[in-house]
Amino acid sequence: MNCATQKKVALVTGSAGFIGYHISRKLLDEGWRVVGLDCMSDYYEVSLKERRESILLKSDYYRSVHAKVEEPGLLIKLFKEEMPEVVIHLAAQAGVRYSIENPRAYLESNIVGTFELLEAARAYPPKHMLLASTSSAYGANKEMPYKETDKSDHQLSFYAATKKSTENMAHSYAHLFNMPITMFRFFTVYGPWGRPDMAMFKFTKAILAGEKIDVYNHGNMSRDFTYIDDLVLGIRLLIDSAVPSDQETVGSVRNENKSPVAPFRVVNIGNSRPEKLLDFINAIEIATGHEAKINWMPIQPGDVPATWADTSLLADLTNFTPKTDLAVGVKKFVDWYTKFHKVM
């Protein structure tokens, strides 16, 4: 048996995406073999995904597969070939606002794609599956910080509705087939190699170019901004915290919200600290040395004015709490952005 077959195998969907790239690098650095699945969609610049993937491909232990998760039979074939020990499912059509324009893309990628994944895992069960959800699942909830045990029945966008649907689908499979599944809800992730459609990227680009930025709800917004390295470490530590299938263990961890009928739970990953949008913009101004020109706008359909994560469950499960200071994280992004785009 060669060294490659002795390595632990992880399947990462959406591996050329922002978060997928970073978690794939983390696992490769730790000696895993990573099978990366990504359709390289043109939702944003494919060249950025290609640059991320080119770095992953420098490892002999990274396998790249270009295909859609919703392609019938693709995942079951991949599971049979690779028999992944761990699955990290990040592939999804992202973006709250785009879900208003093109809801079918969300139906196909998020719901049908997750169904294909669950069916493949049913046939070839991994030890642990970690599926990405979103803080948007909390929807119209106004009590903060958001706790995993809060009711989340009133999503405000179709994107959020599809992600909450994947949580329900995953729970049913965890119950029916005794599949250990962790859903993680992450909160406004930012950092190097981030998505161009996210505020961090858009604001930095516009501010450096002397262009106006659109600031919604007239700036009366706050977000629990989570630095990418904190998110990735949280995911990595959760890999080793597979949900026990023994129903007697319910409640063994403080604040545990494990399902009473399945090896399934939901975990928040956030910075546990809401930041005002205007403070976020000010941090970019300081990091770039440029003043923002602002176009004040009303709140957009499907958006929420604030998010804030209770991360006590993550801390109990992993002994880790994200804590990167916003100014530090923003500077790291701006440093990457200016170097990558050769500006300033």
Side-chain angles (χ1 to χ4, degrees):
M1 183 179 292
N2 61 40
C3 292
T5 57
Q6 292 175 341
K7 287 180 174 286
K8 292 183 289 187
V9 179
L11 169 64
V12 179
T13 71
S15 54
F18 172 34
I19 299 170
Y21 159 73
H22 281 280
I23 190 65
S24 294
R25 280 194 70 178
K26 175 74 170 172
L27 293 173
L28 289 168
D29 288 345
E30 289 187 6
W32 290 66
R33 189 162 68 83
V34 176
V35 180
L37 174 65
D38 202 296
C39 71
M40 310 297 279
S41 78
D42 61 0
Y43 172 64
Y44 61 84
E45 296 94 305
V46 176
S47 61
L48 183 58
K49 299 178 183 181
E50 291 172 340
R51 289 285 293 274
R52 296 185 191 120
E53 187 180 64
S54 69
I55 296 171
L56 298 176
L57 286 168
K58 291 178 181 178
S59 170
D60 293 336
Y61 301 113
Y62 181 77
R63 176 189 174 188
S64 173
V65 179
H66 288 177
K68 292 184 175 182
V69 287
E70 64 265 33
E71 183 179 319
L74 170 83
L75 280 164
I76 199 165
K77 180 174 180 291
L78 200 55
F79 271 62
K80 183 178 181 181
E81 291 173 358
E82 299 288 356
M83 299 297 290
E85 181 175 329
V86 168
V87 174
I88 301 174
H89 180 45
L90 296 159
Q93 178 57 60
V96 169
R97 292 154 197 162
Y98 186 59
S99 69
I100 298 172
E101 302 171 28
N102 187 12
R104 183 170 293 278
Y106 294 75
L107 177 71
E108 293 171 354
S109 180
N110 300 3
I111 293 181
V112 178
T114 300
F115 165 74
E116 291 289 338
L117 183 86
L118 292 169
E119 278 291 279
R122 172 184 175 183
Y124 301 98
K127 290 182 179 178
H128 192 190
M129 295 180 68
L130 298 96
L131 280 63
S133 187
T134 173
S135 61
S136 297
Y138 288 105
N141 283 14
K142 292 185 178 178
E143 186 174 340
M144 296 193 187
Y146 292 146
K147 298 180 181 179
E148 296 91 344
T149 51
D150 289 345
K151 251 185 127 175
S152 52
D153 294 337
H154 303 108
Q155 286 72 47
L156 299 180
S157 68
F158 190 63
Y159 162 69
T162 62
K163 297 302 280 185
K164 184 60 167 61
S165 296
T166 65
E167 292 183 13
N168 295 336
M169 292 162 59
H171 180 270
S172 70
Y173 271 70
H175 166 67
L176 291 170
F177 309 112
N178 199 35
M179 294 164 48
I181 295 177
T182 297
M183 304 289 312
F184 53 95
R185 292 175 179 165
F186 49 78
F187 287 67
T188 315
V189 187
Y190 72 101
W193 297 98
R195 285 181 9 221
D197 64 314
M198 298 292 286
M200 178 80 257
F201 201 111
K202 290 166 69 175
F203 287 179
T204 299
K205 180 180 179 181
I207 289 170
L208 286 170
E211 299 171 353
K212 282 190 172 184
I213 59 174
D214 291 337
V215 176
Y216 295 97
N217 203 31
H218 304 283
N220 297 314
M221 308 275 279
S222 64
R223 289 288 182 269
D224 196 334
F225 291 101
T226 311
Y227 188 64
I228 183 63
D229 290 357
D230 288 338
L231 175 73
V232 167
L233 182 54
I235 296 170
R236 174 61 190 90
L237 292 171
L238 284 172
I239 288 176
D240 300 326
S241 299
V243 192
S245 58
D246 180 0
Q247 302 307 316
E248 307 240 338
T249 61
V250 174
S252 62
V253 176
R254 184 173 64 85
N255 293 330
E256 173 67 275
N257 73 324
K258 177 180 175 292
S259 165
V261 294
F264 173 95
R265 66 178 157 226
V266 176
V267 182
N268 287 337
I269 307 180
N271 212 43
S272 311
R273 179 180 170 182
E275 305 274 2
K276 293 179 180 178
L277 180 57
L278 296 183
D279 290 339
F280 176 64
I281 294 168
N282 182 244
I284 302 173
E285 291 177 315
I286 292 170
T288 60
H290 291 65
E291 186 176 348
K293 300 175 182 177
I294 297 176
N295 185 27
W296 302 105
M297 304 282 286
I299 196 167
Q300 294 200 116
D303 217 343
V304 296
T307 62
W308 179 6
D310 180 323
T311 59
S312 56
L313 176 57
L314 176 68
D316 287 335
L317 293 170
T318 66
N319 199 31
F320 168 68
T321 300
K323 57 188 177 185
T324 299
D325 182 77
L326 182 65
V328 173
V330 167
K331 187 178 186 310
K332 287 182 178 181
F333 173 82
V334 170
D335 288 347
W336 168 82
Y337 181 92
T338 54
K339 182 178 179 182
F340 185 81
H341 289 282
K342 298 181 174 61
V343 295
M344 282 179 72

